[in-house]
Amino acid sequence: MLRKISTYILICFSFILCTSCFEILEEITLNEDGSGHMSVTFNLSKSKSKLASIMLLDSVNGRKVPSEDDIEQALQDAIKQLKKTDGISNIKKTSDFKNYIFTISCDFKKVNNIDAIFKDAIIQQNKREKTAFNTTNFTFNTSSNIFQRHYTYDDAVKKSFYRLKNEDQKVFDDASYTAIYRFKDFVKGVSNKNAKISPNKKAVMLRISAMDLILGENTLENKIELTK
């Protein structure tokens, strides 16, 4: 299962390295009982004109350009294998090759079901690259009504970044990671100073530049306290 998901991630990464601007969007809608819906979107629409030209080539900067069939197959493989993950259901994908926007979404019974999707992949990544990423990314305490996005920075990320070619490093200059969390209850407070609470007090958004994440100058870590 993880090999298929990892293949999808690697294809997306190689595709990202062919462009100059992209956004990764992480969205979670959480129910009061801890179940919910999650989607992850790779949005490369700001570079769609450049990507349309690149897709006609075999490789760029020594990297193979994935075809539409490569991307579709990776998405299908990921969905097929995600269906085997406990607590995960209603798995869907969308592919927009006109605007270069790709999404995978699913429902989950418990927040820790999300962690199970990538747990083994993270463990293998840590062994291979000698990193120390946390396999627990999300928790929800129904007693305290606290939802938490965990994130542990590893300096190995910065070292890996500086090993990239200059032209590959520039890809991340205008890239960003956005997290949006929606709740049934009102949000009382957040721990991340860069997180913004929506006017209706039922959603939190955190947008971070890719370079800030790579260099460890900002974090996805966020503890969100909800009303009981």
Side-chain angles (χ1 to χ4, degrees):
M1 177 183 75
L2 274 306
R3 184 180 300 123
K4 297 296 185 182
I5 296 173
S6 297
T7 299
Y8 164 64
I9 293 171
L10 287 172
I11 286 179
C12 287
F13 183 70
S14 65
F15 202 47
I16 282 168
L17 287 179
C18 292
T19 185
S20 58
C21 184
F22 67 91
E23 178 184 34
I24 297 175
L25 175 62
E26 172 186 289
E27 296 181 89
I28 291 179
T29 299
L30 188 69
N31 300 319
E32 293 175 343
D33 64 355
S35 65
H37 179 81
M38 180 180 189
S39 67
V40 178
T41 300
F42 292 85
N43 187 341
L44 300 93
S45 59
K46 291 182 179 179
S47 301
K48 63 181 180 180
S49 296
K50 180 180 179 181
L51 282 170
S53 298
I54 287 174
M55 290 289 284
L56 300 174
L57 305 175
D58 292 327
S59 63
V60 174
N61 297 331
R63 296 180 183 276
K64 181 183 182 298
V65 176
S67 67
E68 289 188 10
D69 288 342
D70 289 333
I71 297 170
E72 279 293 340
Q73 187 60 56
L75 288 168
Q76 292 291 353
D77 287 347
I79 289 174
K80 185 187 299 182
Q81 299 304 325
L82 286 173
K83 288 180 179 179
K84 300 178 183 179
T85 305
D86 290 340
I88 300 296
S89 62
N90 193 29
I91 302 164
K92 298 178 179 178
K93 67 94 180 173
T94 60
S95 305
D96 180 354
F97 284 98
K98 181 178 179 180
N99 296 296
Y100 296 97
I101 301 174
F102 309 95
T103 299
I104 286 184
S105 64
C106 66
D107 293 336
F108 55 87
K109 289 184 178 180
K110 296 184 294 184
V111 168
N112 60 8
N113 294 144
I114 304 172
D115 287 334
I117 296 173
F118 296 108
K119 182 177 180 179
D120 289 341
I122 294 172
I123 291 173
Q124 293 302 317
Q125 159 71 20
N126 287 339
K127 288 181 179 179
R128 184 175 60 253
E129 302 295 335
K130 297 182 179 179
T131 50
F133 290 115
N134 196 335
T135 56
T136 299
N137 294 303
F138 303 95
T139 55
F140 178 58
N141 188 317
T142 54
S143 298
S144 61
N145 225 17
I146 291 177
F147 172 84
Q148 192 159 356
R149 190 356 169 151
H150 302 275
Y151 179 80
T152 302
Y153 178 73
D154 192 319
D155 194 57
V157 174
K158 185 191 301 184
K159 294 176 181 177
S160 296
F161 172 75
Y162 285 127
R163 286 197 294 267
L164 292 174
K165 296 178 181 179
N166 288 335
E167 58 265 32
D168 289 339
Q169 290 183 12
K170 292 178 181 178
V171 166
F172 297 93
D173 288 346
D174 298 317
S176 64
Y177 195 107
T178 301
I180 299 176
Y181 307 124
R182 302 179 181 90
F183 307 95
K184 302 300 181 183
D185 296 320
F186 293 105
V187 177
K188 290 178 63 177
V190 296
S191 64
N192 192 308
K193 63 180 181 180
N194 295 305
K196 298 180 179 179
I197 301 174
S198 66
N200 69 357
K201 306 293 184 182
K202 288 193 172 184
V204 173
M205 183 183 78
L206 177 63
R207 186 174 187 273
I208 300 174
S209 73
M211 287 306 303
D212 279 355
L213 281 176
I214 291 169
L215 300 179
E217 296 176 355
N218 212 326
T219 180
L220 293 171
E221 181 79 26
N222 200 8
K223 181 183 291 185
I224 302 172
E225 185 179 1
L226 307 171
T227 57
K228 295 182 180 181

